[in-house]
Amino acid sequence: MVDRSESDSRTLLRRLRDTLATGGGAQDRLDRITALIADSMRTHVCSIYLFRDPETLELCATEGLNREAVHQTRMRLGEGLVGRVARSGQPVNTGNAPSEPGFRYMPETGEEIYSSFLGVPIQRVGERLGVLVVQSREAREFSDDELYGLEVVAMVLAEMTELGAFTGEQNGIGATHRFPVMFRGATGQEGAAEGHVWLHEPRVVVTNPVGDDPEAEKARLEQAVSSLQAQIDDMLIGAAQMDKEQRQVLEAYKMLAHSRGWVRRMGEDIALGLSAEAAVEKEQSTARARLELSTDPYLRERLHDLDDLSNRLLRLLTGQGSDTGAELPLNPVLVARNIGPAELLDYGRKLKGVVLEEGSVGSHAAIVARALAIPLVIHATRITMEALNGDQILVDGDQGFVHLRPEETVAAAFRDKIAMQAVAQKRYADLRELPATDLSGQTISLMMNAGLMADLPSLQGSGADGVGLFRTELQFLIRTRVPRRSELAALYKRVMDAAGEKRVQFRTLDIGSDKVLPYMKPQDEPNPAMGWRAIRVGLDKPGVLRMQLQALLRGAEGRPLSVMFPFIATPDEFHAAKASLLHERDREASLGRPVPSELKIGAMLETPSLGFAPDSFFEACDFISIGGNDLKQFFFAADRENERVRRRYDTLDTAFLTFLERIIARCEVNHTALSFCGEDAGRPIEALTFAALGIRSLSMRPASIGPVKHLIRRANLDDLRHLILEARKQGAQSVRPVVTHYLAGL
């Protein structure tokens, strides 16, 4: 096939299509295809290797190698030249295969007489399906035309593999998207749910990889590209109010959409016989394989641009829009690469769970999931490639596991877990009106966390004593512009109306880190969790802070108001923020507006430095809320977004508990109210330990209040405190074994 013409390529692809359309089993198709490719390319060997499982390739058909090796020869991902092609997603082209690094001789195949080797990946949009190989006796490298032609053939095979053309009992290859798969992600929101997949962006299915009329296919492509470019131009016109950096991002997006090289390469693919849709997917797959190898974060970020543009173009070509007309399945579980808070709120409580490939434990999607009380698993890599709408799915938010198309034994065990949780919740509901009082008569205030009006019905249903943390940033995150003061004041009024006589502690805007406003210039910081965020933004942008404080004062309408400032690291930051709030209160009074009958001003203690602040700081605070999530990660220098280290350190480590005791003592001496807020406050063992140490208020998600109250009412905090102190005295690194043993005896 040296100097092969476009006509030859189109002829080969049509013959492939006709072969696939004829009768016979899957193995017969594979055998005919390898013979056809070897004949067309004038090579001695053509072989197809497909994935038996995610780590193992199997020789599934060959023309030229020993037939006895078919379904017998297997290799691990990365093993030999075939494994190298599969791992890298890049071709290997050599005239002397045995001299290549990583070469592995497979004696059962009889390949020792073949010197030249050309292998290309069979892949579809980042999904590895197998490897297509041709070999010859003469020692020569294959030409660029031959390489390109084989890549085009591999693209057709990828589409056919995706459509199940090579699956069947005869060859033992199972259909794609049919086997059970488990994804190990990370917990974004605890809970368990069983349901059916609902893809936020459904896959585009290409059913016609081979084009009969190249000119007609090119015309379709050009029309779709023009429509795509117009869409991007309209996006830029609508972005006139965005800042310079955001416009630069869209300009880069436009540049990719207008790339002549991109369009030219797709045109060349069509000339060789692909349909317009298959040409788009081929270039997307090829570019994706290259970008995935890059260590440059900027280039890797372009993967999202490439995927988005390619998917938009495919939807234009196929007419398969995001709204397919399909109805939400029974018990829908949303599966997406990522999702914004506004989009997630649109789904509302219809969802049973959410699974994301990206996201973070502190992201706005996680905040909304907590507000909706649905389990969320993040970092479920490649699940959007594997899942199909309607697939059965199990979401274990407690462990961060997702089971897709589970075996019945797994599903049965999971249902038992859900049933046990339901029974426990019913038992906890009976405690709703009872106080969290232990056997020694000490009462702990159990508060709930909130961030949406949708949270407030849980205030009564959970038996919470109030709202220990109302996150105000969500109202900023779900908008494309800064909310008006009047809008915020109306919201805060509704929150306080819904809470009635129960206390609500509003936390001022906590943005930055993983919570970036869509209309705010993003900050390129190496460590955003310790960067320009929360009160640092508020003090540097006093206009936004002042507007929010005014809204809180007006929303209170003369009622008692509690406000706390996040991420305070030094007393000066708190004093400045407090002065700003008092100034706004006095200004409201001077204008004749009602001011709160009681104004409580507090700080979130999330940095270890604040534990060593002078007494004057604690005296100035009406209350302090320990932000356990951030405090723990800074105390142990363990990023809570990093799965390798975030579970490595125990909250009940005696060093951390000793630090908490220091804060408790400082607050007691200065008569400052103290609470603990964070994930650990809602974990019964941790919550009981905090209470035993002397923290009298805990704030958690509503679903955790029942289990925590149940445990406190069965325990004696004085006895537990004695055991904790004794364990520390004896040099224990963690008091968890002691607390667990104590609970086992209750």
Tab-separated table of all heavy atoms in Angstrom, residues 257-279:
chain	number	residue	atom	x	y	z
A	257	ALA	N	-11.708	26.361	17.632
A	257	ALA	CA	-12.845	26.094	16.744
A	257	ALA	C	-12.561	26.535	15.316
A	257	ALA	O	-13.090	25.963	14.362
A	257	ALA	CB	-14.103	26.796	17.268
A	258	HIS	N	-11.730	27.575	15.161
A	258	HIS	CA	-11.394	28.106	13.835
A	258	HIS	C	-10.078	27.525	13.307
A	258	HIS	O	-9.578	27.996	12.290
A	258	HIS	CB	-11.293	29.634	13.890
A	258	HIS	CG	-12.634	30.318	13.965
A	258	HIS	ND1	-13.261	30.862	12.869
A	258	HIS	CD2	-13.477	30.531	15.011
A	258	HIS	CE1	-14.412	31.400	13.230
A	258	HIS	NE2	-14.571	31.208	14.535
A	259	SER	N	-9.525	26.525	13.982
A	259	SER	CA	-8.233	25.963	13.581
A	259	SER	C	-8.328	25.330	12.195
A	259	SER	O	-9.087	24.379	11.979
A	259	SER	CB	-7.774	24.913	14.597
A	259	SER	OG	-6.677	24.190	14.101
A	260	ARG	N	-7.548	25.843	11.269
A	260	ARG	CA	-7.540	25.277	9.916
A	260	ARG	C	-6.963	23.862	9.917
A	260	ARG	O	-7.385	23.004	9.147
A	260	ARG	CB	-6.729	26.175	8.986
A	260	ARG	CG	-7.385	27.530	8.731
A	260	ARG	CD	-6.553	28.352	7.762
A	260	ARG	NE	-7.164	29.655	7.518
A	260	ARG	CZ	-6.637	30.583	6.717
A	260	ARG	NH1	-5.469	30.351	6.126
A	260	ARG	NH2	-7.260	31.730	6.535
A	261	GLY	N	-5.942	23.646	10.778
A	261	GLY	CA	-5.340	22.321	10.844
A	261	GLY	C	-6.342	21.271	11.283
A	261	GLY	O	-6.370	20.145	10.748
A	262	TRP	N	-7.158	21.604	12.268
A	262	TRP	CA	-8.186	20.688	12.763
A	262	TRP	C	-9.158	20.324	11.647
A	262	TRP	O	-9.448	19.145	11.409
A	262	TRP	CB	-8.902	21.349	13.940
A	262	TRP	CG	-9.910	20.507	14.657
A	262	TRP	CD1	-9.778	19.215	15.055
A	262	TRP	CD2	-11.220	20.915	15.072
A	262	TRP	NE1	-10.911	18.783	15.711
A	262	TRP	CE2	-11.811	19.806	15.734
A	262	TRP	CE3	-11.946	22.108	14.977
A	262	TRP	CZ2	-13.092	19.860	16.267
A	262	TRP	CZ3	-13.226	22.160	15.527
A	262	TRP	CH2	-13.792	21.046	16.154
A	263	VAL	N	-9.662	21.343	10.952
A	263	VAL	CA	-10.623	21.113	9.874
A	263	VAL	C	-9.960	20.361	8.719
A	263	VAL	O	-10.554	19.458	8.117
A	263	VAL	CB	-11.206	22.456	9.389
A	263	VAL	CG1	-12.148	22.227	8.206
A	263	VAL	CG2	-11.940	23.172	10.527
A	264	ARG	N	-8.690	20.717	8.417
A	264	ARG	CA	-7.988	20.053	7.313
A	264	ARG	C	-7.813	18.562	7.584
A	264	ARG	O	-8.047	17.723	6.713
A	264	ARG	CB	-6.619	20.695	7.093
A	264	ARG	CG	-5.879	20.149	5.857
A	264	ARG	CD	-4.428	20.549	5.813
A	264	ARG	NE	-3.643	19.830	6.816
A	264	ARG	CZ	-3.114	20.388	7.878
A	264	ARG	NH1	-3.251	21.674	8.121
A	264	ARG	NH2	-2.416	19.654	8.743
A	265	ARG	N	-7.405	18.241	8.807
A	265	ARG	CA	-7.186	16.827	9.131
A	265	ARG	C	-8.489	16.033	9.044
A	265	ARG	O	-8.501	14.887	8.585
A	265	ARG	CB	-6.581	16.700	10.530
A	265	ARG	CG	-5.124	17.144	10.605
A	265	ARG	CD	-4.500	16.761	11.936
A	265	ARG	NE	-5.150	17.419	13.067
A	265	ARG	CZ	-4.837	18.623	13.533
A	265	ARG	NH1	-3.864	19.321	12.947
A	265	ARG	NH2	-5.464	19.143	14.565
A	266	MET	N	-9.598	16.630	9.482
A	266	MET	CA	-10.883	15.930	9.365
A	266	MET	C	-11.253	15.745	7.903
A	266	MET	O	-11.796	14.703	7.520
A	266	MET	CB	-11.969	16.705	10.120
A	266	MET	CG	-11.798	16.659	11.637
A	266	MET	SD	-13.176	17.368	12.569
A	266	MET	CE	-12.993	19.117	12.203
A	267	GLY	N	-10.940	16.735	7.079
A	267	GLY	CA	-11.192	16.601	5.643
A	267	GLY	C	-10.371	15.485	5.024
A	267	GLY	O	-10.862	14.737	4.160
A	268	GLU	N	-9.119	15.335	5.474
A	268	GLU	CA	-8.270	14.248	4.970
A	268	GLU	C	-8.822	12.890	5.384
A	268	GLU	O	-8.766	11.925	4.612
A	268	GLU	CB	-6.840	14.431	5.485
A	268	GLU	CG	-6.134	15.645	4.888
A	268	GLU	CD	-4.821	15.954	5.588
A	268	GLU	OE1	-4.543	15.316	6.634
A	268	GLU	OE2	-4.076	16.821	5.093
A	269	ASP	N	-9.349	12.807	6.595
A	269	ASP	CA	-9.955	11.556	7.048
A	269	ASP	C	-11.154	11.191	6.173
A	269	ASP	O	-11.343	10.021	5.813
A	269	ASP	CB	-10.409	11.679	8.505
A	269	ASP	CG	-9.262	11.919	9.467
A	269	ASP	OD1	-8.129	11.516	9.136
A	269	ASP	OD2	-9.496	12.512	10.532
A	270	ILE	N	-11.952	12.188	5.847
A	270	ILE	CA	-13.121	11.947	4.995
A	270	ILE	C	-12.673	11.490	3.613
A	270	ILE	O	-13.259	10.577	3.012
A	270	ILE	CB	-13.989	13.219	4.908
A	270	ILE	CG1	-14.676	13.469	6.260
A	270	ILE	CG2	-15.031	13.088	3.802
A	270	ILE	CD1	-15.428	14.782	6.328
A	271	ALA	N	-11.613	12.111	3.087
A	271	ALA	CA	-11.109	11.733	1.766
A	271	ALA	C	-10.676	10.274	1.729
A	271	ALA	O	-10.759	9.610	0.688
A	271	ALA	CB	-9.940	12.639	1.370
A	272	LEU	N	-10.226	9.750	2.875
A	272	LEU	CA	-9.800	8.353	2.939
A	272	LEU	C	-10.963	7.393	3.174
A	272	LEU	O	-10.763	6.184	3.224
A	272	LEU	CB	-8.758	8.175	4.040
A	272	LEU	CG	-7.375	8.773	3.740
A	272	LEU	CD1	-6.478	8.665	4.952
A	272	LEU	CD2	-6.741	8.067	2.549
A	273	GLY	N	-12.174	7.939	3.353
A	273	GLY	CA	-13.342	7.071	3.420
A	273	GLY	C	-14.178	7.153	4.669
A	273	GLY	O	-15.208	6.470	4.771
A	274	LEU	N	-13.775	7.965	5.663
A	274	LEU	CA	-14.582	8.076	6.874
A	274	LEU	C	-15.770	8.994	6.655
A	274	LEU	O	-15.729	9.908	5.816
A	274	LEU	CB	-13.744	8.612	8.032
A	274	LEU	CG	-12.646	7.710	8.605
A	274	LEU	CD1	-11.961	8.406	9.770
A	274	LEU	CD2	-13.198	6.362	9.037
A	275	SER	N	-16.825	8.772	7.439
A	275	SER	CA	-17.930	9.726	7.456
A	275	SER	C	-17.492	10.960	8.233
A	275	SER	O	-16.467	10.952	8.926
A	275	SER	CB	-19.155	9.100	8.123
A	275	SER	OG	-18.893	8.860	9.501
A	276	ALA	N	-18.267	12.036	8.140
A	276	ALA	CA	-17.922	13.267	8.853
A	276	ALA	C	-17.863	13.021	10.357
A	276	ALA	O	-16.957	13.496	11.050
A	276	ALA	CB	-18.940	14.360	8.523
A	277	GLU	N	-18.837	12.246	10.875
A	277	GLU	CA	-18.855	11.980	12.316
A	277	GLU	C	-17.624	11.194	12.751
A	277	GLU	O	-16.996	11.498	13.775
A	277	GLU	CB	-20.116	11.191	12.693
A	277	GLU	CG	-21.410	11.960	12.531
A	277	GLU	CD	-22.011	11.817	11.141
A	277	GLU	OE1	-21.274	11.424	10.219
A	277	GLU	OE2	-23.202	12.097	10.987
A	278	ALA	N	-17.273	10.150	11.981
A	278	ALA	CA	-16.109	9.333	12.337
A	278	ALA	C	-14.823	10.144	12.239
A	278	ALA	O	-13.892	9.940	13.025
A	278	ALA	CB	-16.029	8.106	11.431
A	279	ALA	N	-14.754	11.077	11.291
A	279	ALA	CA	-13.568	11.924	11.160
A	279	ALA	C	-13.402	12.813	12.385
A	279	ALA	O	-12.287	13.014	12.877
A	279	ALA	CB	-13.684	12.778	9.891
